[in-house]
Amino acid sequence: MSETDRAWIEVDREKLLHNVEELKRLSGTGCELMPAVKANAYGHGDILISRILQTAGIDNFCVASADEAVRLREAGISGQILILGYTHPEEFPELVQYGLTQTVVDQEHARRLSQYAGRRKIRIHVGVDTGMHRLGIPHDRMDLIEEVWKLPGLDITGIFSHLCVSDGTTQAEEAYTREQIRRLRFVTEYLHRKGFRGFQSHIQGSYGLLNYPEYSFDLARPGIALYGVLSSAKDKVKTEACLSPVLALKARIACVKELPAGEAAGYGLTYTALSSRKTAIVTAGYADGIPRSLSNCGTALVGGRRVPVIGRVCMDQLTLDVTDVPGVSAGDEVVFIGRSCGKRAGGRDRQTPGSSPSGNPAMISDIITAEDMAEAARTITNEILSRLGTRLGRIAV
């Protein structure tokens, strides 16, 4: 990014492509990846990510809504784009115009799609509820599922479901996940016996791949894992997948000020300096995706050093305590997610682990992960990343 950008996201192209190869290895031969690029590719930038993925041979994508799908098509993204969520009948024309694939969320939705299609064909995947009790036709209503295949105007290219506890580690969660998989397989095999073929099946998302790679379907829908992140730092997975975080979130220091002892700062004056502090006003806030819940408890990196957020996180700005960071000035980079490096104050290399060659100023570095930020904000990384603001510039590095 240029030196004038206030806040931005860096997407590491090589790490993304590395993650693709790792997930392909887990999914096995015969299974294609259908990356989840919904919610602006989990905040990474849907068009940017999809274009990189297409260079890696990916030609299946899934999104949440028709608007997201149309946005990708208009940006030149080809291949299958599956809309995982509900599409209103008034938007059915876009399914045909842009060659999109729509999820049938229930029997009535299927009928309305069929009625609209007429002599045309609308590509669909049939959603099956195997136990999450969200979208999809109940797995034990084979009469309703089979009826969809008999409706005119529908080109049925897939059938799928969602796993709801594949990230869990208890025996009960594992048993429930395997039962969901069994139920989808039963539906698929029933349809095959009835002579219905030519459709793909899929049920595994990120944790379905990471924890149950022994199951093989036609497609897999990695989301959070594609971006090298787990939903929580506490999550444990069964595989030894080597995934790398793709995203770095950065901003700039607008100005550096002194906060005298006894003075309070920010909206609500929620922070009071016990001693004189050096503060940095940073050009990012909750409108950019920095959770307001990090007020007075979040951290950032400046010059390779971890510093605290003080006062309330505002819509467009926040304040850091940079008292212990030497040489801070306006325009300096602040890292909220990612790695930051800087020179060790006043010293030469003492040959400490990770230091630079002898004779050069010793370097220090630190990293904040999306899992770190999510834990501090008491949420999951999926929410942190997907809520990163649209005004953030996004660039592949």
Side-chain angles (χ1 to χ4, degrees):
M1 303 302 288
S2 72
E3 294 183 358
T4 61
D5 291 303
R6 58 178 292 279
W8 68 97
I9 285 170
E10 294 176 0
V11 170
D12 191 311
R13 182 191 304 268
E14 294 306 315
K15 289 181 178 179
L16 177 63
L17 295 177
H18 164 80
N19 293 344
V20 167
E21 293 305 311
E22 278 291 286
L23 293 170
K24 282 183 177 179
R25 178 181 63 81
L26 285 180
S27 62
T29 304
C31 179
E32 300 178 53
L33 296 186
M34 178 185 272
V37 291
K38 60 182 180 175
N40 203 19
Y42 288 58
H44 291 63
D46 54 355
I47 294 173
L48 175 63
I49 291 294
S50 297
R51 285 174 173 167
I52 295 172
L53 292 174
Q54 289 218 302
T55 67
I58 300 294
D59 57 8
N60 295 292
F61 302 90
C62 55
V63 296
S65 66
D67 288 345
E68 291 181 336
V70 169
R71 172 179 161 84
L72 293 181
R73 276 286 190 257
E74 291 183 338
I77 302 303
S78 59
Q80 177 174 225
I81 302 178
L82 171 64
I83 300 167
L84 295 170
Y86 172 76
T87 294
H88 193 279
E90 290 185 5
E91 294 180 300
F92 287 174
E94 293 183 339
L95 303 178
V96 177
Q97 179 183 353
Y98 291 96
L100 306 174
T101 304
Q102 173 60 44
T103 292
V104 165
V105 303
D106 61 15
Q107 185 66 14
E108 179 59 27
H109 199 217
R111 292 186 184 121
R112 300 193 72 171
L113 283 162
S114 173
Q115 290 168 0
Y116 172 78
R119 295 182 180 179
R120 294 162 295 194
K121 285 286 187 178
I122 295 180
R123 285 195 293 272
I124 67 165
H125 282 205
V126 178
V128 177
D129 180 3
T130 57
M132 191 170 184
H133 302 299
R134 204 170 61 174
L135 301 182
I137 301 171
H139 69 94
D140 55 356
R141 291 301 307 274
M142 292 308 307
D143 56 327
L144 298 181
I145 294 173
E146 187 175 349
E147 184 182 325
V148 175
W149 258 262
K150 298 176 181 179
L151 291 172
L154 302 181
D155 180 13
I156 305 175
T157 60
I159 186 170
F160 75 100
S161 190
H162 283 81
L163 298 174
C164 52
V165 287
S166 57
D167 58 338
T169 58
T170 68
Q171 288 185 347
E173 289 167 326
E174 180 175 333
Y176 199 83
T177 298
R178 294 189 187 279
E179 177 61 15
Q180 283 193 270
I181 292 171
R182 187 200 66 78
R183 289 170 177 174
L184 182 65
R185 280 189 163 172
F186 176 84
V187 172
T188 301
E189 291 166 1
Y190 175 89
L191 292 168
H192 285 166
R193 290 195 301 271
K194 288 288 186 175
F196 302 115
R197 296 186 178 275
F199 59 89
Q200 297 174 301
S201 62
H202 49 106
I203 194 171
Q204 292 156 296
S206 291
Y207 285 91
L209 280 177
L210 294 172
N211 287 331
Y212 301 89
E214 67 271 23
Y215 292 104
S216 180
F217 289 85
D218 300 305
L219 296 167
R221 309 185 306 267
I224 196 69
L226 178 73
Y227 308 107
V229 178
L230 296 179
S231 294
S232 168
K234 298 176 182 178
D235 288 347
K236 305 296 182 184
V237 295
K238 299 175 184 177
T239 61
E240 295 183 355
C242 180
L243 301 173
S244 299
V246 171
L247 176 144
L249 173 60
K250 301 180 178 182
R252 296 202 185 278
I253 292 174
C255 62
V256 179
K257 306 180 74 172
E258 295 294 328
L259 183 64
E263 289 291 309
Y267 283 124
L269 301 177
T270 60
Y271 172 83
T272 301
L274 299 180
S275 60
S276 179
R277 313 304 296 169
K278 180 170 63 174
T279 65
I281 313 305
V282 181
T283 56
Y286 58 75
D288 302 294
I290 309 296
R292 190 171 182 269
S293 59
L294 294 184
S295 300
N296 290 304
C297 67
T299 59
L301 300 174
V302 179
R305 294 167 173 82
R306 192 172 295 235
V307 297
V309 174
I310 61 173
R312 287 184 183 165
V313 175
C314 308
M315 182 179 290
D316 314 304
Q317 302 172 67
L318 56 80
T319 302
L320 301 176
D321 182 343
V322 293
T323 305
D324 297 327
V325 184
V328 180
S329 62
D332 285 356
E333 181 180 276
V334 177
V335 176
F336 292 101
I337 299 175
R339 182 174 294 280
S340 172
C341 299
K343 293 182 179 179
R344 194 177 300 278
R348 291 284 179 177
D349 186 0
R350 298 180 182 177
Q351 296 301 300
T352 55
S355 63
S356 56
S358 181
N360 295 325
M363 301 295 293
I364 61 171
S365 70
D366 200 351
I367 186 170
I368 294 177
T369 65
E371 290 91 340
D372 292 333
M373 179 182 281
E375 185 173 11
R378 298 182 180 181
T379 185
I380 60 174
T381 58
N382 309 56
E383 180 179 4
I384 292 291
L385 296 174
S386 65
R387 295 180 69 178
L388 294 176
T390 56
R391 67 185 180 187
L392 292 167
R394 288 162 171 84
I395 186 173
V397 296

